[in-house]
């Protein structure tokens, strides 16, 4: 029994080439792996660049092929990679100083200003602002904060130049702040750069020399003393006026009471006189005698009126004036 044998042809040239360049197959596998890695990285980049997050204190400007759009809602948002770009803007209230404190390390002294009476003064302001329109803040100007600072410096110098040094240092600060704020707001509305001024206040104001500083401090102290004296005087007035009014009311009430009492008394006397007159018309003689005796009772309450006849037996006591009568009788007996 015969079995057939199959001959396998061996290509020695191929074996020779592989044995001659063994890195060729490894390079092919590495290239494929690198392409896969690059693809994964590119995919991750596209995925991560397709989303952006806006915090509560931020707003964003989404630009699509050169057309900007404001995105104000906080949270996660989607954008098209490469085609759309996002620029975030902080909308919280911030501030900056204008004056000599802000430039103490430089040669520029923006705090040195001149007043209307040609006095020099050092003054320092603090301005508070926020971004109100992110699109305009990003695209209307290169640096809106710097523009605001330049506007504020111009308005400050213009306003300070219209007041004298005494007003700047003492009594006119509130008015100066209000005028500067209004001027800055008008210019910001005109320029429309997407930034909003909240407030601007005077932090400090001092003359350039120590002697002048001391003099103005004395003036300020004197004015404060004046205000204190006025306040105390007003307090005393407010306390004393109610007391005086209460005393005046009491006097008026007493006067009204006395007046009413006098009126009532007069009315009573008139009523008595009318009654007496009516009786007098009826019996004039009797009324006269009665009135006489009543008057004598009032004038001589402790005396007796005695009508004496020819003899002592006919003595008649008319009014109870016994003590006077007894005393008179005793004196007569002594004289005898």
């Amino acid at each position: 029994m015969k079995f057939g044998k199959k001959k396998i042809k061996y290509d020695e040239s191929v074996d020779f080439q592989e044995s001659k360049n063994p890195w060729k197959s490894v390079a092919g596998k590495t290239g494929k792996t690198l392409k896969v890695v690059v693809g994964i990285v590119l995919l991750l980049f596209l995925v991560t660049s397709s989303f952006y997050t806006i915090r509560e204190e931020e707003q964003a400007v989404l630009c699509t092929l050169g057309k900007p759009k404001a995105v104000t809602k906080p949270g996660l948002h989607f954008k098209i990679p490469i085609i759309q770009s996002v620029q975030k803007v902080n909308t919280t209230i911030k501030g900056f100083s204008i004056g000599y404190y802000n430039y103490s390390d430089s040669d520029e002294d923006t705090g040195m200003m001149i007043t209307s009476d040609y006095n020099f003064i050092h003054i320092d302001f603090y301005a508070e602002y926020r971004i109100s329109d992110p699109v305009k803040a990003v695209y209307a100007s290169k640096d809106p904060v710097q523009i605001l600072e330049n506007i504020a410096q111009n308005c400050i110098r213009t306003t300070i130049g219209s007041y004298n040094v005494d007003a700047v240092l003492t009594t006119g600060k509130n008015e100066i702040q209000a005028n500067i704020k209004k001027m800055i707001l008008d210019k910001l509305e005109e320029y429309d750069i997407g930034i909003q001024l909240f407030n601007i206040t005077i932090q400090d104001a001092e003359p350039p020399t120590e002697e002048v500083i001391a003099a103005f401090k004395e003036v300020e102290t004197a004015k404060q003393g004046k205000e204190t004296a006025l306040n105390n005087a007003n307090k005393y007035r407010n306390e004393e006026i109610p007391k005086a009014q209460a005393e005046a009311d009491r006097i008026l009430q007493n006067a009204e009471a006395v007046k009413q009492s006098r009126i009532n008394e007069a009315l009573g006397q008139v009523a008595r006189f009318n009654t007496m007159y009516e009786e007098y018309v009826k019996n004039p003689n009797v009324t006269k005698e009665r009135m006489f005796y009543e008057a004598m009772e009032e004038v001589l309450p402790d005396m007796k009126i005695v009508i004496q006849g020819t003899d002592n037996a006919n003595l008649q006591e008319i009014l109870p004036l016994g003590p006077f009568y007894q005393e008179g009788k005793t004196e007569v007996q002594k004289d005898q």
Side-chain angles (χ1 to χ4, degrees):
M1 186 176 183
K2 296 181 179 179
F3 295 95
K5 294 183 180 180
K6 185 177 180 181
K7 295 183 178 180
I8 298 174
K9 188 176 180 181
Y10 180 75
D11 192 351
E12 295 180 356
S13 61
V14 174
D15 183 62
F16 175 73
Q17 290 178 358
E18 290 180 359
S19 61
K20 186 177 180 181
N21 190 9
W23 295 101
K24 187 174 181 180
S25 59
V26 176
K29 295 179 180 180
T30 304
K32 291 180 181 180
T33 304
L34 184 60
K35 289 179 181 180
V36 172
V37 172
V38 171
I40 294 173
V41 171
L42 181 61
L43 180 62
L44 290 174
F45 171 76
L46 293 175
V47 171
T48 55
S49 61
S50 299
F51 297 93
Y52 62 97
T53 304
I54 299 178
R55 295 195 294 268
E56 290 288 340
E57 69 276 7
E58 292 180 335
Q59 292 184 9
V61 179
L62 179 65
C63 185
T64 306
L65 298 177
K67 294 182 179 180
K69 176 184 176 183
V71 181
T72 60
K73 186 176 180 180
L76 185 65
H77 298 269
F78 174 79
K79 71 179 182 67
I80 303 174
I82 301 174
I83 297 177
Q84 293 181 324
S85 61
V86 175
Q87 187 170 351
K88 298 179 183 179
V89 177
N90 194 320
T91 57
T92 57
I93 297 176
K94 297 181 180 179
F96 57 85
S97 296
I98 304 173
Y100 63 95
Y101 286 130
N102 196 29
Y103 296 92
S104 58
D105 297 332
S106 63
D107 296 333
E108 183 181 7
D109 190 2
T110 59
M112 177 71 77
M113 301 182 189
I114 187 170
T115 59
S116 61
D117 51 355
Y118 303 104
N119 283 298
F120 289 97
I121 186 172
H122 282 139
I123 192 165
D124 181 50
F125 285 83
Y126 188 78
E128 295 177 297
Y129 70 94
R130 66 180 288 270
I131 301 297
S132 58
D133 191 328
V135 175
K136 293 178 181 178
V138 172
Y139 290 98
S141 62
K142 183 178 179 180
D143 190 351
V145 178
Q146 184 62 45
I147 294 176
L148 173 60
E149 187 172 350
N150 294 337
I151 292 173
Q153 289 183 11
N154 178 266
C155 295
I156 288 171
R157 290 186 180 277
T158 302
T159 305
I160 294 298
S162 62
Y163 286 85
N164 57 39
V165 66
D166 185 63
V168 175
L169 292 176
T170 56
T171 59
K173 289 184 178 181
N174 293 331
E175 183 178 348
I176 290 172
Q177 292 174 170
N179 292 339
I180 292 173
K181 182 178 180 180
K182 183 178 183 303
M183 192 179 299
I184 294 174
L185 291 175
D186 292 341
K187 288 185 177 293
L188 287 177
E189 184 178 359
E190 178 183 353
Y191 293 158
D192 195 18
I193 56 176
I195 196 168
Q196 178 184 4
L197 178 71
F198 269 88
N199 197 19
I200 184 166
T201 55
I202 298 176
Q203 296 292 99
D204 193 15
E206 292 183 354
T209 61
E210 295 295 333
E211 293 80 4
V212 179
I213 292 175
F216 273 104
K217 286 183 177 179
E218 291 179 359
V219 172
E220 185 67 21
T221 302
K223 289 184 177 181
Q224 291 178 357
K226 173 186 174 182
E227 292 295 330
T228 302
L230 287 175
N231 293 333
N232 291 335
N234 291 330
K235 180 181 177 182
Y236 178 76
R237 181 190 64 182
N238 295 333
E239 291 176 352
E240 293 298 322
I241 287 178
K243 293 180 181 179
Q245 290 177 345
E247 182 66 18
D249 293 339
R250 187 185 65 81
I251 293 173
L252 288 175
Q253 291 175 359
N254 291 338
E256 288 293 333
V258 173
K259 169 187 172 182
Q260 193 63 38
S261 176
R262 296 284 180 85
I263 291 174
N264 295 334
E265 182 179 357
L267 292 175
Q269 290 179 358
V270 169
R272 288 195 300 271
F273 178 81
N274 290 333
T275 302
M276 187 179 297
Y277 179 74
E278 292 175 357
E279 295 296 329
Y280 176 79
V281 171
K282 295 177 181 178
N283 300 297
N285 295 328
V286 175
T287 304
K288 285 181 180 179
E289 291 180 1
R290 184 170 62 83
M291 290 176 63
F292 172 77
Y293 294 146
E294 288 177 354
M296 294 304 295
E297 285 181 351
E298 292 180 1
V299 174
L300 303 171
D302 296 330
M303 298 181 65
K304 286 184 178 181
I305 296 177
V306 178
I307 299 175
Q308 185 175 358
T310 55
D311 54 352
N312 294 333
N314 295 324
L315 291 178
Q316 185 178 3
E317 183 177 324
I318 305 302
L319 292 177
L321 304 178
F324 178 79
Y325 172 74
Q326 293 295 336
E327 291 177 0
K329 186 176 180 180
T330 304
E331 289 179 357
V332 173
Q333 293 176 353
K334 289 181 179 179
D335 291 339
Q336 290 179 353

